[in-house]
Amino acid sequence: MDDRNLTERGIDNSAKGKGNDVKGKVKDAVGGLTGDSSLQAEGKMDQAKGKVQDAVGKAERKLDEPNTDRR
């Protein structure tokens, strides 16, 4: 386990996830333009991976928020 807190890991995961999503969109588009269905499928997988990674990052940040509703 690394020494970073959940917020730091969440920010990192969200950034990587958004990068994978963009990379996937580019591959999907290029595959569509060139007729390369394999590249298109790879792009869709990258997009899915990126969305999951971003969601994990958001959840990590949410878990690390101080709970202000405690009584």
mmCIF file of all heavy atoms in Angstrom, residues 22-52:
data_model
loop_
_atom_site.group_PDB
_atom_site.id
_atom_site.type_symbol
_atom_site.label_atom_id
_atom_site.label_comp_id
_atom_site.label_asym_id
_atom_site.label_seq_id
_atom_site.Cartn_x
_atom_site.Cartn_y
_atom_site.Cartn_z
ATOM 1 N N VAL A 22 -10.070 9.354 -23.148
ATOM 2 C CA VAL A 22 -9.724 10.146 -24.346
ATOM 3 C C VAL A 22 -8.959 9.290 -25.345
ATOM 4 O O VAL A 22 -9.241 9.307 -26.554
ATOM 5 C CB VAL A 22 -8.920 11.409 -23.949
ATOM 6 C CG1 VAL A 22 -8.336 12.093 -25.169
ATOM 7 C CG2 VAL A 22 -9.799 12.365 -23.162
ATOM 8 N N LYS A 23 -7.985 8.522 -24.843
ATOM 9 C CA LYS A 23 -7.207 7.644 -25.717
ATOM 10 C C LYS A 23 -8.134 6.668 -26.441
ATOM 11 O O LYS A 23 -7.995 6.424 -27.638
ATOM 12 C CB LYS A 23 -6.167 6.874 -24.892
ATOM 13 C CG LYS A 23 -5.355 5.865 -25.676
ATOM 14 C CD LYS A 23 -4.280 5.204 -24.828
ATOM 15 C CE LYS A 23 -4.877 4.240 -23.840
ATOM 16 N NZ LYS A 23 -3.891 3.407 -23.144
ATOM 17 N N GLY A 24 -9.107 6.140 -25.702
ATOM 18 C CA GLY A 24 -10.058 5.209 -26.300
ATOM 19 C C GLY A 24 -10.930 5.858 -27.349
ATOM 20 O O GLY A 24 -11.225 5.251 -28.386
ATOM 21 N N LYS A 25 -11.346 7.090 -27.106
ATOM 22 C CA LYS A 25 -12.168 7.796 -28.098
ATOM 23 C C LYS A 25 -11.392 8.017 -29.389
ATOM 24 O O LYS A 25 -11.943 7.886 -30.488
ATOM 25 C CB LYS A 25 -12.661 9.130 -27.526
ATOM 26 C CG LYS A 25 -13.736 8.943 -26.494
ATOM 27 C CD LYS A 25 -14.198 10.258 -25.904
ATOM 28 C CE LYS A 25 -15.262 9.967 -24.860
ATOM 29 N NZ LYS A 25 -15.801 11.126 -24.219
ATOM 30 N N VAL A 26 -10.109 8.340 -29.258
ATOM 31 C CA VAL A 26 -9.275 8.552 -30.444
ATOM 32 C C VAL A 26 -9.136 7.236 -31.223
ATOM 33 O O VAL A 26 -9.316 7.200 -32.444
ATOM 34 C CB VAL A 26 -7.889 9.120 -30.055
ATOM 35 C CG1 VAL A 26 -6.943 9.110 -31.248
ATOM 36 C CG2 VAL A 26 -8.035 10.528 -29.499
ATOM 37 N N LYS A 27 -8.816 6.147 -30.516
ATOM 38 C CA LYS A 27 -8.674 4.843 -31.183
ATOM 39 C C LYS A 27 -9.976 4.432 -31.853
ATOM 40 O O LYS A 27 -9.969 3.918 -32.979
ATOM 41 C CB LYS A 27 -8.278 3.770 -30.171
ATOM 42 C CG LYS A 27 -6.847 3.812 -29.736
ATOM 43 C CD LYS A 27 -6.570 2.659 -28.770
ATOM 44 C CE LYS A 27 -5.156 2.635 -28.281
ATOM 45 N NZ LYS A 27 -4.929 1.510 -27.342
ATOM 46 N N ASP A 28 -11.096 4.647 -31.169
ATOM 47 C CA ASP A 28 -12.401 4.297 -31.717
ATOM 48 C C ASP A 28 -12.663 5.076 -33.005
ATOM 49 O O ASP A 28 -13.087 4.511 -34.018
ATOM 50 C CB ASP A 28 -13.477 4.578 -30.672
ATOM 51 C CG ASP A 28 -14.870 4.111 -31.077
ATOM 52 O OD1 ASP A 28 -14.999 3.336 -32.041
ATOM 53 O OD2 ASP A 28 -15.835 4.527 -30.407
ATOM 54 N N ALA A 29 -12.375 6.366 -32.972
ATOM 55 C CA ALA A 29 -12.607 7.206 -34.148
ATOM 56 C C ALA A 29 -11.687 6.824 -35.300
ATOM 57 O O ALA A 29 -12.133 6.693 -36.452
ATOM 58 C CB ALA A 29 -12.408 8.676 -33.789
ATOM 59 N N VAL A 30 -10.410 6.625 -35.004
ATOM 60 C CA VAL A 30 -9.460 6.250 -36.060
ATOM 61 C C VAL A 30 -9.834 4.887 -36.636
ATOM 62 O O VAL A 30 -9.816 4.687 -37.858
ATOM 63 C CB VAL A 30 -8.007 6.254 -35.529
ATOM 64 C CG1 VAL A 30 -7.057 5.639 -36.538
ATOM 65 C CG2 VAL A 30 -7.568 7.674 -35.186
ATOM 66 N N GLY A 31 -10.206 3.957 -35.779
ATOM 67 C CA GLY A 31 -10.633 2.643 -36.254
ATOM 68 C C GLY A 31 -11.859 2.733 -37.135
ATOM 69 O O GLY A 31 -11.964 2.036 -38.146
ATOM 70 N N GLY A 32 -12.790 3.608 -36.769
ATOM 71 C CA GLY A 32 -13.981 3.799 -37.594
ATOM 72 C C GLY A 32 -13.661 4.409 -38.939
ATOM 73 O O GLY A 32 -14.215 4.013 -39.965
ATOM 74 N N LEU A 33 -12.748 5.373 -38.951
ATOM 75 C CA LEU A 33 -12.381 6.034 -40.205
ATOM 76 C C LEU A 33 -11.598 5.125 -41.143
ATOM 77 O O LEU A 33 -11.723 5.225 -42.361
ATOM 78 C CB LEU A 33 -11.554 7.292 -39.922
ATOM 79 C CG LEU A 33 -12.313 8.463 -39.291
ATOM 80 C CD1 LEU A 33 -11.337 9.560 -38.861
ATOM 81 C CD2 LEU A 33 -13.341 9.019 -40.262
ATOM 82 N N THR A 34 -10.781 4.253 -40.565
ATOM 83 C CA THR A 34 -9.937 3.379 -41.385
ATOM 84 C C THR A 34 -10.554 2.012 -41.622
ATOM 85 O O THR A 34 -9.995 1.202 -42.358
ATOM 86 C CB THR A 34 -8.550 3.188 -40.731
ATOM 87 O OG1 THR A 34 -8.728 2.556 -39.458
ATOM 88 C CG2 THR A 34 -7.831 4.512 -40.580
ATOM 89 N N GLY A 35 -11.675 1.738 -40.977
ATOM 90 C CA GLY A 35 -12.313 0.435 -41.125
ATOM 91 C C GLY A 35 -11.633 -0.657 -40.314
ATOM 92 O O GLY A 35 -11.837 -1.838 -40.570
ATOM 93 N N ASP A 36 -10.842 -0.267 -39.337
ATOM 94 C CA ASP A 36 -10.121 -1.225 -38.487
ATOM 95 C C ASP A 36 -10.985 -1.543 -37.268
ATOM 96 O O ASP A 36 -10.947 -0.849 -36.256
ATOM 97 C CB ASP A 36 -8.773 -0.629 -38.073
ATOM 98 C CG ASP A 36 -7.891 -1.597 -37.318
ATOM 99 O OD1 ASP A 36 -8.411 -2.606 -36.786
ATOM 100 O OD2 ASP A 36 -6.678 -1.337 -37.238
ATOM 101 N N SER A 37 -11.775 -2.621 -37.364
ATOM 102 C CA SER A 37 -12.697 -2.960 -36.280
ATOM 103 C C SER A 37 -11.950 -3.378 -35.007
ATOM 104 O O SER A 37 -12.452 -3.183 -33.898
ATOM 105 C CB SER A 37 -13.659 -4.056 -36.719
ATOM 106 O OG SER A 37 -12.957 -5.221 -37.097
ATOM 107 N N SER A 38 -10.760 -3.937 -35.162
ATOM 108 C CA SER A 38 -9.960 -4.324 -34.003
ATOM 109 C C SER A 38 -9.538 -3.083 -33.202
ATOM 110 O O SER A 38 -9.618 -3.066 -31.971
ATOM 111 C CB SER A 38 -8.731 -5.107 -34.453
ATOM 112 O OG SER A 38 -7.902 -5.419 -33.366
ATOM 113 N N LEU A 39 -9.081 -2.050 -33.909
ATOM 114 C CA LEU A 39 -8.682 -0.809 -33.247
ATOM 115 C C LEU A 39 -9.890 -0.132 -32.615
ATOM 116 O O LEU A 39 -9.809 0.411 -31.513
ATOM 117 C CB LEU A 39 -8.000 0.142 -34.235
ATOM 118 C CG LEU A 39 -7.439 1.444 -33.664
ATOM 119 C CD1 LEU A 39 -6.360 1.142 -32.615
ATOM 120 C CD2 LEU A 39 -6.864 2.317 -34.775
ATOM 121 N N GLN A 40 -11.015 -0.213 -33.292
ATOM 122 C CA GLN A 40 -12.240 0.371 -32.770
ATOM 123 C C GLN A 40 -12.646 -0.331 -31.465
ATOM 124 O O GLN A 40 -12.996 0.325 -30.484
ATOM 125 C CB GLN A 40 -13.363 0.224 -33.806
ATOM 126 C CG GLN A 40 -14.275 1.387 -33.878
ATOM 127 C CD GLN A 40 -15.230 1.291 -35.058
ATOM 128 O OE1 GLN A 40 -15.147 0.383 -35.889
ATOM 129 N NE2 GLN A 40 -16.126 2.232 -35.127
ATOM 130 N N ALA A 41 -12.575 -1.653 -31.452
ATOM 131 C CA ALA A 41 -12.920 -2.419 -30.249
ATOM 132 C C ALA A 41 -11.942 -2.100 -29.113
ATOM 133 O O ALA A 41 -12.351 -1.957 -27.950
ATOM 134 C CB ALA A 41 -12.910 -3.909 -30.552
ATOM 135 N N GLU A 42 -10.671 -1.981 -29.444
ATOM 136 C CA GLU A 42 -9.665 -1.618 -28.442
ATOM 137 C C GLU A 42 -9.980 -0.246 -27.843
ATOM 138 O O GLU A 42 -9.852 -0.029 -26.638
ATOM 139 C CB GLU A 42 -8.286 -1.612 -29.095
ATOM 140 C CG GLU A 42 -7.137 -1.484 -28.142
ATOM 141 C CD GLU A 42 -5.786 -1.540 -28.845
ATOM 142 O OE1 GLU A 42 -5.608 -2.346 -29.773
ATOM 143 O OE2 GLU A 42 -4.903 -0.755 -28.446
ATOM 144 N N GLY A 43 -10.407 0.663 -28.694
ATOM 145 C CA GLY A 43 -10.780 1.992 -28.227
ATOM 146 C C GLY A 43 -11.963 1.957 -27.279
ATOM 147 O O GLY A 43 -11.974 2.640 -26.253
ATOM 148 N N LYS A 44 -12.946 1.145 -27.593
ATOM 149 C CA LYS A 44 -14.118 1.030 -26.716
ATOM 150 C C LYS A 44 -13.722 0.429 -25.361
ATOM 151 O O LYS A 44 -14.233 0.833 -24.326
ATOM 152 C CB LYS A 44 -15.204 0.200 -27.393
ATOM 153 C CG LYS A 44 -15.832 0.933 -28.583
ATOM 154 C CD LYS A 44 -16.982 0.161 -29.163
ATOM 155 C CE LYS A 44 -17.534 0.759 -30.435
ATOM 156 N NZ LYS A 44 -17.781 2.164 -30.445
ATOM 157 N N MET A 45 -12.794 -0.520 -25.377
ATOM 158 C CA MET A 45 -12.310 -1.111 -24.120
ATOM 159 C C MET A 45 -11.551 -0.066 -23.295
ATOM 160 O O MET A 45 -11.711 0.002 -22.079
ATOM 161 C CB MET A 45 -11.409 -2.313 -24.398
ATOM 162 C CG MET A 45 -12.151 -3.528 -24.899
ATOM 163 S SD MET A 45 -13.377 -4.157 -23.735
ATOM 164 C CE MET A 45 -12.326 -4.640 -22.392
ATOM 165 N N ASP A 46 -10.730 0.742 -23.953
ATOM 166 C CA ASP A 46 -10.008 1.804 -23.249
ATOM 167 C C ASP A 46 -10.981 2.803 -22.631
ATOM 168 O O ASP A 46 -10.772 3.273 -21.506
ATOM 169 C CB ASP A 46 -9.047 2.540 -24.189
ATOM 170 C CG ASP A 46 -7.797 1.735 -24.516
ATOM 171 O OD1 ASP A 46 -7.505 0.758 -23.800
ATOM 172 O OD2 ASP A 46 -7.108 2.097 -25.495
ATOM 173 N N GLN A 47 -12.041 3.117 -23.360
ATOM 174 C CA GLN A 47 -13.042 4.041 -22.835
ATOM 175 C C GLN A 47 -13.715 3.462 -21.593
ATOM 176 O O GLN A 47 -13.886 4.156 -20.582
ATOM 177 C CB GLN A 47 -14.111 4.340 -23.888
ATOM 178 C CG GLN A 47 -13.627 5.230 -25.014
ATOM 179 C CD GLN A 47 -14.713 5.442 -26.041
ATOM 180 O OE1 GLN A 47 -15.761 6.000 -25.723
ATOM 181 N NE2 GLN A 47 -14.481 4.998 -27.265
ATOM 182 N N ALA A 48 -14.081 2.195 -21.656
ATOM 183 C CA ALA A 48 -14.723 1.549 -20.518
ATOM 184 C C ALA A 48 -13.777 1.521 -19.317
ATOM 185 O O ALA A 48 -14.182 1.826 -18.187
ATOM 186 C CB ALA A 48 -15.161 0.135 -20.889
ATOM 187 N N LYS A 49 -12.525 1.170 -19.575
ATOM 188 C CA LYS A 49 -11.531 1.142 -18.503
ATOM 189 C C LYS A 49 -11.393 2.524 -17.875
ATOM 190 O O LYS A 49 -11.335 2.666 -16.659
ATOM 191 C CB LYS A 49 -10.180 0.687 -19.065
ATOM 192 C CG LYS A 49 -9.052 0.717 -18.067
ATOM 193 C CD LYS A 49 -7.730 0.330 -18.727
ATOM 194 C CE LYS A 49 -6.563 0.511 -17.785
ATOM 195 N NZ LYS A 49 -5.286 0.223 -18.424
ATOM 196 N N GLY A 50 -11.357 3.549 -18.715
ATOM 197 C CA GLY A 50 -11.219 4.917 -18.224
ATOM 198 C C GLY A 50 -12.396 5.358 -17.382
ATOM 199 O O GLY A 50 -12.221 6.001 -16.344
ATOM 200 N N LYS A 51 -13.596 4.985 -17.790
ATOM 201 C CA LYS A 51 -14.789 5.369 -17.027
ATOM 202 C C LYS A 51 -14.791 4.692 -15.654
ATOM 203 O O LYS A 51 -15.126 5.318 -14.646
ATOM 204 C CB LYS A 51 -16.046 5.019 -17.819
ATOM 205 C CG LYS A 51 -16.291 5.964 -18.990
ATOM 206 C CD LYS A 51 -17.529 5.564 -19.751
ATOM 207 C CE LYS A 51 -17.878 6.335 -20.974
ATOM 208 N NZ LYS A 51 -17.074 7.336 -21.511
ATOM 209 N N VAL A 52 -14.405 3.419 -15.623
ATOM 210 C CA VAL A 52 -14.341 2.704 -14.339
ATOM 211 C C VAL A 52 -13.268 3.317 -13.447
ATOM 212 O O VAL A 52 -13.483 3.556 -12.254
ATOM 213 C CB VAL A 52 -14.085 1.195 -14.560
ATOM 214 C CG1 VAL A 52 -13.735 0.496 -13.258
ATOM 215 C CG2 VAL A 52 -15.290 0.540 -15.218
#
